[in-house]
Amino acid sequence: MSPRCFPLGLLMLACLLPALAGAGERGARIVIDPGHGGAKEGAKGPGEIWEKEVALQIAQRLRDKLEAAGSEVFLTRDRDTLMALSERVEFSNIQRPDLFLSIHANSMPTKRLRERTEGIETYFLSANASGEAARAVADRENAEAPTARAARGHSTLAFILDDLARTEAHSDASRLAYAIHPRLVSKSGAADRGVQQAPFFVLTGVEAPAVLIEVGFISHPQEGARLGKAAYQETLAEAIADGVLAFLRETRRRDSSPSQPVAGSTAP
């Protein structure tokens, strides 16, 4: 049959086939949660630098990079507004995300500790904190949650934590943390304070692999100043995006070949 006689219906179908083949593969849906906001300013850095501002600026830069890579990205807040932790979780689950990233900056309470303590930590949810320092970070970030103190008893948080060991999302949250953290440390040159575990309220109810990233100590004189600079924020956003995209590639490879273990996908 000559091309001129090719049936119109078949010709249209041939044109549509490439689009149909790719229709089953959508970009990842990602929720980014810039910590604090509004009257909840978070930790204070040098000069007029506040955690709520740094978290939002890094989140916006990260959104741009992930969207450029084909992901669909939602921010729990895109401006300086107050949003309860429970509202962040509810918003996230409405989006049905593939993963959740909460962005924060760390701090220390005393002048001596502020001058000496710096570095990056990446957290995933656990009923038990990695140590006293991790517990202190979780307590500080949970302070905005009205049920944070009750969470250690018979509460929704306790119920969710009891079931964590059996959930795939928890396993993937660990993999996500280990995909992001070394890239953050390598690209930024910041001190490596490790991947940690702690009972963060904002991570408890999210129905997806979820991590909380403390991008540095805003209370440290030098690191706090760096966190306020656009170039350094770009470096952090790029590193987080690289880790997220590596995690997504590994997850898709694993899910397409369930019997084949993914190299480097587990924590050391």
Side-chain angles (χ1 to χ4, degrees):
M1 180 182 295
S2 69
R4 186 172 298 178
C5 299
F6 200 91
L8 180 60
L10 291 178
L11 183 60
M12 293 177 63
L13 179 59
C15 294
L16 284 172
L17 280 177
L20 292 172
E25 293 187 10
R26 62 168 177 81
R29 295 173 66 86
I30 299 171
V31 171
I32 304 174
D33 172 47
H36 308 284
K40 303 293 185 180
E41 296 175 315
K44 189 179 186 304
E48 295 302 316
I49 300 174
W50 287 94
E51 180 182 2
K52 66 173 184 177
E53 297 164 352
V54 167
L56 179 58
Q57 290 159 3
I58 294 173
Q60 290 170 331
R61 297 178 190 279
L62 177 57
R63 175 194 58 195
D64 294 345
K65 295 182 185 304
L66 291 173
E67 286 182 340
S71 297
E72 188 176 8
V73 183
F74 306 87
L75 267 60
T76 55
R77 66 178 181 93
D78 59 6
R79 59 190 185 280
D80 184 17
T81 186
L82 183 63
M83 190 174 192
L85 296 181
S86 56
E87 293 175 324
R88 296 168 192 259
V89 172
E90 182 181 3
F91 170 86
S92 299
N93 287 334
I94 289 173
Q95 314 311 321
R96 302 182 64 83
D98 295 299
L99 55 90
F100 173 92
L101 311 165
S102 190
I103 308 296
H104 290 259
N106 224 328
S107 70
M108 279 294 175
T110 67
K111 184 176 186 293
R112 182 167 177 268
L113 288 174
R114 286 195 293 269
E115 290 174 349
R116 338 176 20 184
T117 310
E118 59 183 309
I120 292 171
E121 299 172 342
T122 306
Y123 287 86
F124 62 95
L125 185 64
S126 174
N128 300 308
S130 303
E132 287 304 313
R135 167 64 71 179
V137 174
D139 285 347
R140 181 172 69 84
E141 302 296 2
N142 288 342
E144 295 178 16
T147 58
R149 296 188 181 278
R152 297 179 188 176
H154 298 289
S155 65
T156 301
L157 172 58
F159 175 81
I160 293 171
L161 292 173
D162 288 342
D163 197 50
L164 273 178
R166 297 188 296 275
T167 65
E168 184 178 356
H170 180 243
S171 173
D172 279 351
S174 169
R175 291 176 55 246
L176 176 60
Y178 279 100
I180 292 171
H181 186 78
R183 289 172 171 85
L184 261 176
V185 171
S186 176
K187 283 184 178 291
S188 68
D192 182 358
R193 293 179 59 87
V195 173
Q196 308 285 344
Q197 304 175 49
F200 286 96
F201 183 93
V202 76
L203 301 182
T204 59
V206 176
E207 297 165 0
V211 298
L212 185 145
I213 305 165
E214 297 279 0
V215 294
F217 279 79
I218 199 169
S219 57
H220 186 271
Q222 287 76 46
E223 188 166 62
R226 284 198 302 273
L227 287 170
K229 296 184 181 301
Y232 190 66
Q233 291 177 4
E234 279 287 310
T235 298
L236 295 174
E238 182 180 353
I240 297 170
D242 286 351
V244 166
L245 296 174
F247 168 81
L248 291 171
R249 286 193 299 270
E250 291 179 355
T251 301
R252 285 166 181 160
R253 192 157 63 242
R254 177 200 65 187
D255 293 346
S256 63
S257 303
S259 61
Q260 299 295 320
V262 177
S265 62
T266 57

